[in-house]
Each structure stands twice: as structure tokens, then as C-alpha cells.
């Protein structure tokens, strides 16, 4: 039995599907979506001159998104694509959306909170992620469930891969 290590402020609003052996991939990815949404909401209410808090939240957002995107691209998307059906366009679009997010993440990590456009870049990233999440949860995830993928095995692989991912040291 594991104890949650995240603060209650960052906990997901939905209860994931968990077993003693792990968490199903879709529940895990949805939990990531909720966690990042919470971080964006915290950033939004941070004072305009609270530079240290903004930097910490922005870095945490970038790390969580990097872990999530890496695991999706390396594990979840290939499984969804391999399952066939009409998922190829969804996976392609999601991959392109990830590329745009990664570009913004690199820009944000190279900046300081007091720099021009810092807040604007965080806001645009938030909006892009919100759109991406909606498409995944409304379109891709239901198709993945229907494809009868081994969501528990994928969840374990995703958890393991996310644990390996770190941000580049050149921040």
C-alpha cells in the first residue's frame, strides 16, 4: 500500500483506477492532466511580483508536462497507433501538439519570471494544454479503451518512464 506523496493541492479531482499492481494508463494520464491543471491555476493566482513562486511553479509545470509527454510519445501513443482503428490522425495531431508545447517549455525554462512575455508564454502553454487534454480525454482515451489495450501494463510502463525523466540542467 503506497502513501500519496503529493500535496493535497495537486491531487486529482477524479479517483484513478488503481490496483495493488499499479494504475491503468488512462487513469494515470488523466491524473497528470488534473495535476497540471491545478499547477496552472496556482500560477494564475500568484502575485505579479512573486518571482520566486512563479519560477518554482513554472519549473514544476514544465517538468510534469515533459514527463507526461515523454511517456505518452514513447509508450502510450505507439500502443494506441498499433491497436489500429481510426486513431492515426489523433496520434499524429497529439504528437504535433506536443512539439509546440515542448518549444514553449524550452523558451520558458530559458527565461526568468520578470522577463517580457514570461506570463504570456505560461498562459499560451496553459491554453494549448487545455485543448490537447480535451481532445485526448474526449476522443483518444475512449478509442484506446475500446481497442482493449492492456491499460494496466501500459500504466506501469508509463509510471516507470516518467520516473526517469528530468528537465535539462541548462535552465
Amino acid at each position: 500500500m503506497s502513501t500519496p506523496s503529493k500535496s493535497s493541492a495537486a491531487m486529482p479531482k477524479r479517483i484513478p483506477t488503481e490496483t495493488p499492481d499499479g494504475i491503468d494508463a488512462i487513469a494515470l494520464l488523466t491524473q497528470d492532466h488534473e495535476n497540471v491543471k491545478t499547477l496552472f491555476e496556482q500560477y494564475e493566482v500568484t502575485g505579479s511580483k512573486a518571482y520566486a513562486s512563479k519560477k518554482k511553479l513554472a519549473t514544476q509545470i514544465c517538468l510534469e508536462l515533459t514527463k507526461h509527454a515523454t511517456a505518452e510519445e514513447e509508450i502510450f501513443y505507439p500502443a494506441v497507433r498499433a491497436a489500429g482503428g481510426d486513431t492515426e490522425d489523433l496520434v499524429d495531431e497529439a504528437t504535433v501538439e506536443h512539439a509546440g508545447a515542448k518549444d514553449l517549455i524550452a523558451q520558458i525554462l530559458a527565461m526568468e519570471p520578470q522577463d517580457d512575455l514570461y506570463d504570456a508564454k505560461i498562459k499560451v502553454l496553459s491554453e494549448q494544454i487545455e485543448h490537447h487534454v480535451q481532445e485526448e480525454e474526449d476522443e483518444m482515451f475512449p478509442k484506446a479503451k475500446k481497442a482493449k489495450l492492456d491499460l494496466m501494463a501500459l500504466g506501469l510502463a508509463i509510471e516507470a518512464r516518467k520516473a526517469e525523466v528530468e528537465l535539462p540542467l541548462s535552465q
Side-chain angles (χ1 to χ4, degrees):
M1 185 157 135
S2 67
T3 320
S5 61
K6 299 186 182 185
S7 71
S8 60
M11 292 305 293
K13 293 178 181 134
R14 295 178 219 162
I15 308 244
T17 306
E18 290 188 68
T19 69
D21 298 326
I23 183 171
D24 110 2
I26 292 173
L28 179 60
L29 296 173
T30 301
Q31 179 180 335
D32 287 351
H33 294 166
E34 293 293 337
N35 291 343
V36 169
K37 180 180 178 183
T38 298
L39 291 171
F40 277 123
E41 288 168 352
Q42 289 173 358
Y43 185 93
E44 211 168 287
V45 298
T46 301
S48 62
K49 302 284 187 202
Y51 298 131
S53 295
K54 284 183 164 193
K55 184 70 170 182
K56 183 177 177 183
L57 280 167
T59 301
Q60 190 174 358
I61 288 166
C62 292
L63 175 60
E64 294 305 317
L65 289 174
T66 299
K67 289 178 171 192
H68 179 87
T70 300
E72 279 188 330
E73 290 171 7
E74 294 178 7
I75 298 163
F76 189 70
Y77 291 169
V80 170
R81 188 183 301 276
D86 58 349
T87 59
E88 191 162 331
D89 287 345
L90 287 173
V91 172
D92 289 347
E93 185 177 330
T95 302
V96 171
E97 290 170 349
H98 279 193
K102 287 178 190 174
D103 183 49
L104 266 177
I105 287 168
Q107 291 176 46
I108 291 164
L109 290 173
M111 298 174 77
E112 292 300 324
Q114 56 272 33
D115 293 346
D116 289 342
L117 304 179
Y118 190 86
D119 288 338
K121 289 181 185 207
I122 296 287
K123 181 67 175 172
V124 169
L125 180 61
S126 172
E127 290 169 351
Q128 286 181 349
I129 297 303
E130 184 179 342
H131 167 81
H132 176 75
V133 163
Q134 184 175 354
E135 286 186 342
E136 278 189 345
E137 291 183 3
D138 293 349
E139 298 176 45
M140 187 184 295
F141 291 177
K143 288 182 180 188
K145 285 180 184 176
K146 189 176 179 184
K148 305 250 188 266
L149 296 171
D150 185 345
L151 296 175
M152 295 307 287
L154 287 171
L156 289 170
I158 288 168
E159 278 186 311
R161 184 62 182 114
K162 283 176 49 187
E164 298 170 346
V165 176
E166 296 180 9
L167 288 176
L169 294 176
S170 60
Q171 297 180 37

